[in-house]
Amino acid sequence: MSAVPGLKEDCEELLDAFQQADTVRFERFAELWRERRFHTIFYGRIRALERNKITKKTLDVAQQYFFPPYSFQIRVGALYLLYGLYNAQLCQPKQKIRIALKHWPEIQKFQLDLLDAQHYDAVYIFRRLRLARAFHFTAMPKLLTYRTKKKIEKSYFKEEFKDPSNRVNSLITNDVLEELMNIHDHYQKMKCVISADKSQPDKALSLIKDDFVVNLKDITLEHQEWQQNRMKLLRNAKVAPETEDKKKEETLLKSEGSERANALARIKYKSYSAVVEVSRSRRHRQVQLESSESGPSCGKSPGRSKKASRTPQPARRGGMQVAEETVTRHIGMPIIVEEDSDE
Amino acid sequence: SIDMLMSSEKEEDPDVIPEDSSLLTLRIRKKALERREETIIVDRACRQETLTYEMESHATGKRPDDPTDLIEEGELLLTLNIFYPVIFQKHKDHKPYQTVLVLGSQKLTELRDSISCVSDLQIGGEFSCQPDQAPEHISKDLYKSAFFYFEGIFYNDKRYPECRDLSRTIIEWSESHDRGYENLQSVKMEDYVFNDLSLKIGFPYLYCHQGNCEHIIVITDIRLIHHDDCLDRNLYPLLVKKHWLCTRKCFVCKMYTARWVTNRDSLAPEDPCFFCDVCFRMLHYDAEGNKLGEFLAYPYVDPGIFN
């Protein structure tokens, strides 16, 4: 099915404006709708057959925004948009909105969320749609058609509409942290058991930082905060007029970025420079601090700690470079060299 | 009251695109419309478009006279695309198909009866010597076997004693060597309704009849029945889309649809050649009904007969 030209842009523009308005009230949406006179989107001399097809495609485009991973506000906007389009259509009998079976639990959860948050206007709109029998309950979201496509259109998500995808958070969840904590405790206990002094582990055995789990949690929280701030700044930066304000915003963004980069560099420096002094018996096998240009690693694996060398760390890079993926010469594991290190 | 927020205040003509629209969609559409006005002289729906639209929408909202025929809530509606078996070069990119709506509670045999294929109407045999005695039996009556193939199971039509199990050959073939097909089964078509089947949407399945006439069936959509659909059970399976096939006209008069086809005809300019009934007799037989010239004649049923 070829897309209706210009439709996606128009919908996104309206939803964008709605997101800027930073509210979920229907009155606000209706104002934006009336400003753009969106109900005229079905105008133009279209004959019945073509009109059916176009309306179906329009509703299909609009309903994509109704599901995750779009953010809450966009989803409410999509609900209003569907309501508006459904009522503004000129087809008789009206074309319906296709909802797939797999989406229904999400929609019901969404409705409950709306009720809890007391957004009664959104709930009312949804109820109106249900009562008007506006939905087709289907097995699959897209109706299949069989035309050879000249090029496969990849559906893309508009970045700003999405909830910031927090990959770090989804990786380091509470469960994972708890698990790590447990393993860490167990590990410490094992070390105590096998070392001579039963109350604390042998110095030779301490190869990881004791509080690395707590550090990990802090880093994750910091990352999340930073990401939220960045999203906010990005959004504001878009709206700000093209004056020095914008430049200021950009430099603020940049400085945010570089701040972040500096913070990262500092953390790396700390973790990689904390080398435990090995015991005398193993003096010939001192660990040497190898300077690496590796990219950021969140300390997920307990890296081998290195000798505490106060040699200036060339790994400190300002600007945005550390934030991006630098060219890694090798992954951050240090090499143990068979020589005395300098202290 | 919420509705009032949507529509505008004054009366508007939906055919006219407003001048100062901020919507990209409308600007593009307006340009397309202007281009159309320049190039097309008469802008109205052609026959095919009217037909397609009529077929899509003729049954919407229909209610049965007999309340026992009313379809209940919770009934499933399947949309099947049944492809034509003809293989023409011009159909390379998109093969023509007809679209049929079927209820979940309907038996497979009902679908089988509703599929109209031109090969069902063929009359076998060469009738150049006795053109008046072309028998009335069509292939549909002679060869009644058919089967559906869904998900590894062959559903054979066994309603009549003449029906044979066409799928037996395939099952034997697949079992003879280890060809990688897990156990294929063969069951009776009339015992099953669509609700019993497990199906994949978009996956090609098969309908075979007449021994070698094969149609691909693809299920494009499954959904719950809706208030605005046709709720008369007797109208299902419902044909909503059909491919328009041009009929072949008689070579002589170019007016009537061809009913005879001749091969190795000394009187005809090309091989094979198509004739309508009247022209056929006028050319090939004299006033007493004697055969003139050498030829082989077969009754011809045009695929466009279902238009």
Side-chain angles (χ1 to χ4, degrees), chain A residues 286-343:
Chain A
Q286 296 280 11
V287 177
Q288 185 176 48
L289 192 56
E290 176 91 10
S291 74
S292 69
E293 295 160 53
S294 58
S297 64
C298 270
K300 177 85 166 82
S301 53
R304 302 277 206 97
S305 56
K306 296 170 241 186
K307 179 97 165 72
S309 72
R310 300 292 166 221
T311 50
Q313 201 38 258
R316 187 190 199 110
R317 288 168 186 276
M320 303 280 269
Q321 281 177 326
V322 180
E324 302 157 13
E325 301 287 350
T326 51
V327 173
T328 45
R329 299 285 166 78
H330 67 261
I331 310 299
M333 289 292 206
I335 303 171
I336 302 180
V337 283
E338 300 254 356
E339 56 196 274
D340 280 347
S341 65
D342 41 66
E343 302 206 23

Side-chain angles (χ1 to χ4, degrees), chain B residues 250-251 253 256-260 274-281:
Chain B
C250 166
F251 186 79
C253 60
Y256 294 105
T257 314
R259 293 262 321 275
W260 290 92
F274 298 90
F275 297 97
C276 68
D277 203 38
V278 173
C279 300
F280 176 70
R281 285 172 205 279

Side-chain angles (χ1 to χ4, degrees), chain B residues 204-269:
Chain B
Y205 295 117
L206 191 69
Y207 166 62
C208 178
H209 64 135
Q210 300 289 324
N212 63 354
C213 181
E214 295 173 347
H215 301 249
I216 297 185
I217 298 189
V218 174
I219 305 183
T220 48
D221 186 30
I222 305 180
R223 62 175 176 84
L224 288 176
I225 199 92
H226 190 273
H227 181 262
D228 284 343
D229 292 326
C230 169
L231 294 180
D232 186 353
R233 192 176 280 277
N234 293 325
L235 292 175
Y236 284 95
L238 180 66
L239 191 63
V240 291
K241 181 171 168 9
K242 195 165 62 184
H243 189 82
W244 176 282
L245 289 163
C246 292
T247 58
R248 260 193 243 267
K249 302 288 192 290
C250 166
F251 186 79
V252 178
C253 60
K254 310 262 199 286
M255 267 200 326
Y256 294 105
T257 314
R259 293 262 321 275
W260 290 92
V261 61
T262 56
N263 290 110
R264 302 214 293 250
D265 193 350
S266 47
L267 300 165

Side-chain angles (χ1 to χ4, degrees), chain A residues 65 81 186 206:
Chain A
Y65 297 102
L81 181 65
H186 197 65
S206 69

Side-chain angles (χ1 to χ4, degrees), chain A residues 10 37 41 43 96 139, chain B residues 12 24-25 29 222 226 228:
Chain A
D10 282 333
R37 301 183 67 222
I41 203 159
Y43 282 13
K96 313 285 185 285
Chain B
E12 273 183 2
L24 183 62
T25 322
R29 199 177 288 159
I222 305 180
H226 190 273
D228 284 343

Side-chain angles (χ1 to χ4, degrees), chain A residues 85-275:
Chain A
L85 286 173
Y86 181 77
N87 285 320
Q89 65 175 297
L90 305 165
C91 299
Q92 206 41 257
K94 291 199 185 294
Q95 294 293 328
K96 313 285 185 285
I97 307 170
R98 290 177 62 94
I99 306 272
L101 191 62
K102 63 176 179 176
H103 289 314
W104 262 118
E106 291 162 7
I107 295 186
Q108 279 170 330
K109 204 166 86 66
F110 185 59
Q111 199 188 7
L112 285 175
D113 286 342
L114 285 176
L115 267 176
D116 287 335
Q118 297 186 342
H119 296 308
Y120 293 126
D121 48 2
V123 182
Y124 177 68
I125 298 276
F126 185 67
R127 236 180 98 77
R128 280 287 289 254
L129 279 175
R130 285 295 302 267
L131 283 177
R133 298 189 178 102
F135 294 113
H136 265 337
F137 303 97
T138 71
M140 294 272 107
K142 260 178 112 65
L143 189 58
L144 298 177
T145 49
Y146 287 90
R147 295 195 79 90
T148 49
K149 286 216 202 356
K150 296 287 161 45
K151 51 181 170 118
I152 311 287
E153 302 160 13
K154 273 176 84 158
S155 64
Y156 73 102
F157 287 127
K158 195 149 184 244
E159 271 306 314
E160 285 93 28
F161 286 0
K162 269 206 286 194
D163 252 340
S165 65
N166 213 332
R167 307 258 279 271
V168 176
N169 255 12
S170 59
L171 188 59
I172 312 214
T173 58
N174 275 339
D175 291 342
V176 170
L177 280 175
E178 222 181 279
E179 188 85 24
L180 279 174
M181 204 70 211
N182 287 340
I183 296 178
H184 186 71
D185 285 337
H186 197 65
Y187 177 60
Q188 299 287 58
K189 285 204 198 82
M190 287 303 294
K191 284 202 289 195
C192 289
V193 166
I194 65 171
S195 52
D197 181 2
K198 290 294 174 189
S199 64
Q200 54 170 305
D202 234 347
K203 280 295 181 175
L205 290 175
S206 69
L207 294 164
I208 61 169
K209 284 166 59 98
D210 285 338
D211 53 352
F212 97 99
V213 180
V214 179
N215 273 355
L216 188 61
K217 186 169 68 85
D218 288 336
I219 294 173
T220 325
L221 277 175
E222 209 180 307
H223 172 85
Q224 191 178 25
E225 258 176 45
W226 167 79
Q227 199 173 32
Q228 280 171 354
N229 286 342
R230 182 168 163 271
M231 284 306 290
K232 236 182 260 165
L233 271 174
L234 256 180
R235 221 175 286 155
N236 292 340
K238 273 187 71 171
V239 182
E242 278 120 1
T243 58
E244 309 103 63
D245 279 352
K246 189 164 190 196
K247 288 213 200 106
K248 243 194 284 172
E249 297 278 1
E250 281 182 6
T251 48
L252 194 59
L253 267 176
K254 262 215 197 104
S255 66
E256 276 272 331
S258 57
E259 241 187 66
R260 174 69 191 153
N262 288 340
L264 261 178
R266 259 181 304 189
I267 293 171
K268 260 185 29 177
Y269 174 64
K270 269 195 291 190
S271 66
Y272 282 118
S273 54
V275 178

